[in-house]
Amino acid sequence: MMVIKEMDMRSISLGIYEKALTPTQDWGERFAQVNRLGFDFMDISIDERDERLSRLFMEPDDVRAIGSEAVRNGVMIGGVCLSAHRRYALGSPDPVKAAKGREILFRSIDFAKAVGSSLVQLAGYYTFYEPHDHGCRERFLDNLRDGVRYAARQGVMLGIENVDGEDVTDLRELRRILDEIHSPWLQAYPDVGNSAFNLRDVRDDLRAVEGHIAAIHVKDVLPGRPRKVPFGQGIADFGAAFMELKTQRWSGRMMIEMWNEDVDAEHECRVAKEFIETKLKTYGLWD
């Protein structure tokens, strides 16, 4: 007789960023940490360093093996966090860099599909290290349009994150981009911490992308310090954010974003997880 397990009906699954974990070169150990800490998923980092960019040039069987390790350890790969466009910006005035950024986008879509992920998160920088010119936004959009068409064919969604710094710093601008490209395969990936860092009202920010939120980042920040702020010690208004998500009846994946390379990573992850779980329960998002 078949036994049907009771389904987990929580509306939000909670995950962790790869860089929050104890560093290791072994994918099995990486996913074992995720399981041990009680997270549902992990988001993989493809940042601007050669070491992580090289993941996009791995043999297909080796990429698929990463997904198999996640399954073996009982966790999901939530998304691919693509911050490599800081180095090779889609809106760069340098055509060589813009072309490289475009290649990275396409390869990241293939990588996500191969590891079994349904989402690639893009940072909302038109260009990062180079001066902006009048064409950087349009170049960004032109390359993004092509990326969205390719992602749609592969069945992988793209999600744009509001960033600290310049360009897509608020979710109203992000919504304008969504409306201009107008594809179900391009959505928002809001960062609650970046809304606070940019002195945005987080409820107004989240309302701007209501119905278009593919997943969410949570982190804490301080003025002038967008990273490595312990949860509860910064200015991010998680209460307001979670009340708005409750109003929107949002469900999906929420990823805790941390950088724990120089600390006791597992301890910091447990503290952060308890903090966010308490907030989710307090504001009625998690039974």
Side-chain angles (χ1 to χ4, degrees):
M1 180 177 179
M2 181 182 294
V3 177
I4 301 176
K5 294 182 179 179
E6 183 178 350
M7 291 182 65
D8 183 349
M9 296 305 292
R10 291 178 303 168
S11 61
I12 292 174
S13 61
L14 194 60
I16 193 69
Y17 190 31
E18 177 186 346
K19 292 183 181 181
L21 302 171
T22 302
T24 175
Q25 298 298 315
D26 185 278
W27 284 101
E29 172 53 29
R30 192 173 281 126
F31 293 124
Q33 287 184 63
V34 179
N35 181 291
R36 190 161 60 242
L37 292 165
F39 288 104
D40 299 309
F41 68 89
M42 184 195 82
D43 276 13
I44 293 177
S45 169
I46 302 291
D47 63 22
E48 59 193 287
R49 292 182 292 173
D50 290 338
E51 173 193 353
R52 285 205 166 96
L53 277 171
S54 68
R55 294 173 174 179
L56 302 182
F57 298 87
M58 294 169 60
E59 292 298 322
D61 285 348
D62 294 333
V63 178
R64 286 189 284 270
I66 296 172
S68 297
E69 281 296 327
V71 172
R72 189 175 68 81
N73 282 280
V75 297
M76 294 188 297
I77 297 174
V80 174
C81 289
L82 179 59
S83 57
H85 284 142
R86 286 177 175 234
R87 180 176 173 187
Y88 299 106
L90 292 175
S92 173
D94 181 340
V96 175
K97 287 186 177 179
K100 182 68 172 179
R102 180 186 172 95
E103 179 192 9
I104 287 169
L105 175 55
F106 279 61
R107 284 183 175 272
S108 294
I109 293 165
D110 289 339
F111 179 89
K113 182 179 180 180
V115 296
S117 171
S118 60
L119 179 64
V120 174
Q121 175 252 305
L122 309 177
Y125 299 112
Y126 304 147
T127 184
F128 188 75
Y129 292 116
E130 302 153 292
H132 287 57
D133 63 15
H134 293 300
C136 64
R137 185 179 188 274
E138 193 54 44
R139 286 190 297 270
F140 174 86
L141 288 177
D142 285 345
N143 284 317
L144 182 59
R145 284 187 187 94
D146 288 343
V148 170
R149 283 192 285 267
Y150 185 71
R153 294 200 303 272
Q154 299 302 314
V156 174
M157 185 172 290
L158 303 183
I160 301 178
E161 179 191 35
N162 54 314
V163 295
D164 59 275
E166 296 184 74
D167 304 325
V168 186
T169 57
D170 69 83
L171 295 176
R172 293 184 185 277
E173 168 62 7
L174 202 163
R175 180 57 184 267
R176 284 190 284 271
I177 292 172
L178 299 185
D179 290 344
E180 287 181 50
I181 294 183
H182 195 61
S183 168
W185 296 96
L186 180 68
Q187 300 295 336
Y189 199 137
D191 186 316
V192 170
N194 284 343
S195 287
F197 184 80
N198 295 321
L199 304 180
R200 298 284 305 165
D201 181 308
V202 70
R203 295 199 74 162
D204 285 345
D205 245 8
L206 291 171
R207 286 187 194 115
V209 290
E210 183 173 357
H212 295 276
I213 300 173
I216 287 183
H217 280 170
V218 287
K219 67 179 179 184
D220 217 339
V221 299
L222 286 168
R225 188 177 167 190
R227 294 171 183 80
K228 298 189 177 183
V229 176
F231 282 90
Q233 296 184 26
I235 61 173
D237 193 343
F238 298 106
F242 291 0
M243 282 191 289
E244 180 57 33
L245 293 174
K246 177 70 171 178
T247 299
Q248 294 184 21
R249 303 179 75 174
W250 180 78
S251 60
R253 293 197 294 254
M254 180 176 289
M255 192 270 277
I256 292 176
E257 188 174 28
M258 304 173 73
W259 295 262
N260 289 331
E261 300 95 333
D262 304 320
V263 295
D264 182 342
E266 293 206 12
H267 171 75
E268 295 300 324
C269 285
R270 288 191 178 93
V271 171
K273 182 172 181 283
E274 182 179 359
F275 178 90
I276 293 298
E277 285 180 343
T278 298
K279 294 288 185 183
L280 288 171
K281 292 172 183 174
T282 298
Y283 292 98
L285 287 168
W286 209 358
D287 296 330

